Amino acid sequence: MAAAVMATSGIAFAASNVTLYGTIDAGAVVQKVKDKTATVKMRSGFDSGSRWGIKGIEDLGNGYAVGFQLEQGFEIDNGADTASNSKGESFGREARLYVKGNFGEVGFGRFGTLASGAGSYSILQGWVFGTSYFDQGSWTTGFAKANGRVDNAIAYVSPEFAGFTLHAMYSNGTSNTLGEEGDANKWSKNNHYYGLGVKYAGGPANASLIFEAADNKSNFDVTSPVTTADDALGLANAFGNKLGLGKTYFKAASGTTEANFDDEFEGRFKAKTAYGITAGGSYDFGVIQLMGIYQYAWQSDFYKQHAFGIGEKTPVAGGTFGFGTRMLLGKLEGTAKDILVDTESGQSDKYRVWNIGANYKYPLSKRTSLWTFAGYSKGSKFYKDVDVGAMNAWSAGFGMIHTF
């Protein structure tokens, strides 16, 4: 539609404006996870993901323009291109081509979802640390549900009206738990993402409301009975990865105990659509900026959960001090409860996490800043003994960021 409009507009062409840019974040972080030895590591991107990119835009005249952005993540501690946010791909953080004009903006490619807190089209508002500081700080690391970055996507941003913009996104095929990628299969076998949101930016006030759905069409599709301990453990690990727990906890919990699963579980593990509604905002009073965020997320036969947080930013001694606290309340249901919860021993099907964190950032110049952070997370009920950083750990660190 945009191409048709431009074709009839008498457009004057101009040369592209191309920019090389990047962020380099290096720091030292100590972390102590429950029942594990404390570690001290040099961390890349602990505050802001280390990256480099190329972006450009061509003015087509009459209010129209075409642009692109290619962005790769990397690890400053070893130079590798295997940063988790970049998938080890050439431009895994973002790869988009877009056109904009009086109709708004339409983009195509790979980028962060509306509530991911990452990339050009995310509109997440209300959490003081955003996606920084990993286990104890990031809103989307093992805490609130997020869809991360998606491939084969199209995004739309409307023109601004009284401070409001409408945002929509669709992915024709995301990666799945079976290791398959993209939209290579027929439509009904691919995983799809859908997002719709509204953002408000009006001086000291900012807010967003986001609805998301991921249909999980090819995840957890089991075609044979679950009859052995290994079968049960494999499914538990798959569910654990979806919950952000990884595999360690379930290996330790299952051990060599025989799992008394039978044929009644056959075909029960095809995941349903996962939904999330996220609302957040902030107001800057000058001497202090207050923030708040809430998310309700659910997946039939799997879980229902509430996540909320409050925080603040305050100018202090030439820098900025931030503080935030969060709570996660959830419950396992249906098949997930049957697989993961040992009801005979009285294990709870509810899970809880409480978290607190603080940071300070000081600008040495327009392009270089120092940062420090400390945080603590405590799990209870089903998460009481989980030896995973996002649930039961403390961490602290300091470092430097340079942008170019």
Side-chain angles (χ1 to χ4, degrees), residues 90-160:
S90 296
F91 296 106
R93 284 183 61 96
E94 188 157 323
R96 68 182 179 114
L97 180 68
Y98 64 91
V99 57
K100 64 180 181 178
N102 295 330
F103 59 88
E105 179 175 318
V106 179
F108 309 87
R110 170 179 166 81
F111 29 74
T113 58
L114 298 185
S116 67
S120 300
Y121 296 117
S122 173
I123 58 172
L124 184 70
Q125 302 283 323
W127 178 236
V128 60
F129 303 127
T131 59
S132 298
Y133 309 125
F134 290 60
D135 292 340
Q136 273 64 62
S138 172
W139 176 254
T140 58
T141 301
F143 200 87
K145 297 297 180 182
N147 292 286
R149 291 170 170 85
V150 289
D151 303 327
N152 309 298
I154 179 171
Y156 171 71
V157 182
S158 75
E160 181 183 333

Side-chain angles (χ1 to χ4, degrees), residues 317-379:
T320 303
F321 171 79
F323 172 83
T325 184
R326 302 178 290 178
M327 190 72 186
L328 175 66
L329 309 171
K331 183 178 181 179
L332 299 172
E333 297 183 335
T335 302
K337 179 180 176 180
D338 291 341
I339 294 175
L340 302 179
V341 180
D342 184 1
T343 55
E344 293 184 1
S345 68
Q347 186 179 28
S348 176
D349 59 355
K350 298 178 180 178
Y351 53 91
R352 306 282 187 267
V353 180
W354 171 77
N355 165 261
I356 190 172
N359 82 319
Y360 181 72
K361 297 184 75 170
Y362 182 82
L364 295 177
S365 68
K366 290 183 178 181
R367 295 185 176 273
T368 304
S369 298
L370 300 177
W371 60 263
T372 184
F373 172 83
Y376 173 79
S377 298
K378 174 67 176 177

Side-chain angles (χ1 to χ4, degrees), residues 12-300:
F13 292 88
S16 296
N17 180 13
V18 178
T19 302
L20 175 67
Y21 69 94
T23 298
I24 303 172
D25 177 8
V29 178
V30 57
Q31 183 181 56
K32 175 65 172 69
V33 179
K34 183 176 182 178
D35 298 328
K36 292 185 177 181
T37 303
T39 60
V40 180
K41 297 181 179 180
M42 182 177 178
R43 296 296 296 265
S44 173
F46 192 69
D47 179 281
S48 301
S50 295
R51 75 202 75 164
W52 75 276
I54 306 169
K55 58 184 176 181
I57 189 167
E58 181 182 18
D59 184 0
L60 301 180
N62 294 338
Y64 295 98
V66 171
F68 72 91
Q69 185 171 2
L70 304 172
E71 186 173 288
Q72 180 190 44
F74 62 89
E75 306 286 5
I76 188 62
D77 53 334
N78 58 20
D81 66 349
T82 54
S84 60
N85 55 24
S86 199
K87 298 178 61 180
E89 298 176 350
S90 296
F91 296 106
R93 284 183 61 96
E94 188 157 323
R96 68 182 179 114
L97 180 68
Y98 64 91
V99 57
K100 64 180 181 178
N102 295 330
F103 59 88
E105 179 175 318
V106 179
F108 309 87
R110 170 179 166 81
F111 29 74
T113 58
L114 298 185
S116 67
S120 300
Y121 296 117
S122 173
I123 58 172
L124 184 70
Q125 302 283 323
W127 178 236
V128 60
F129 303 127
T131 59
S132 298
Y133 309 125
F134 290 60
D135 292 340
Q136 273 64 62
S138 172
W139 176 254
T140 58
T141 301
F143 200 87
K145 297 297 180 182
N147 292 286
R149 291 170 170 85
V150 289
D151 303 327
N152 309 298
I154 179 171
Y156 171 71
V157 182
S158 75
E160 181 183 333
F161 178 75
F164 289 92
T165 49
L166 179 67
H167 301 253
M169 189 180 295
Y170 165 73
S171 168
N172 194 53
T174 66
S175 59
N176 59 56
T177 59
L178 302 180
E180 300 166 345
E181 295 286 337
D183 54 0
N185 297 316
K186 66 179 183 178
W187 189 90
S188 61
K189 293 296 184 180
N190 297 326
N191 291 333
H192 309 97
Y193 164 84
Y194 308 86
L196 184 64
V198 61
K199 178 182 177 181
Y200 175 76
N206 292 278
S208 63
L209 176 63
I210 305 165
F211 170 78
E212 296 183 299
D215 59 20
N216 296 300
K217 286 185 175 293
S218 60
N219 288 358
F220 305 131
D221 190 3
V222 177
T223 57
S224 59
V226 179
T227 58
T228 69
D230 287 341
D231 291 338
L233 181 59
L235 288 167
N237 287 337
F239 275 106
N241 285 331
K242 292 287 283 185
L243 286 169
L245 300 178
K247 299 180 179 180
T248 305
Y249 173 65
F250 297 106
K251 286 183 179 179
S254 299
T256 58
T257 303
E258 181 66 24
N260 297 316
F261 284 54
D262 54 38
D263 291 357
E264 70 176 290
F265 289 94
E266 182 176 2
R268 285 185 57 187
F269 305 103
K270 187 172 180 63
K272 309 298 191 300
T273 300
Y275 299 96
I277 299 174
T278 309
S282 65
Y283 193 91
D284 193 344
F285 293 91
V287 294
I288 188 171
Q289 183 182 23
L290 299 181
M291 303 179 175
I293 190 169
Y294 167 77
Q295 183 192 75
Y296 175 56
W298 71 99
Q299 187 172 2
S300 177

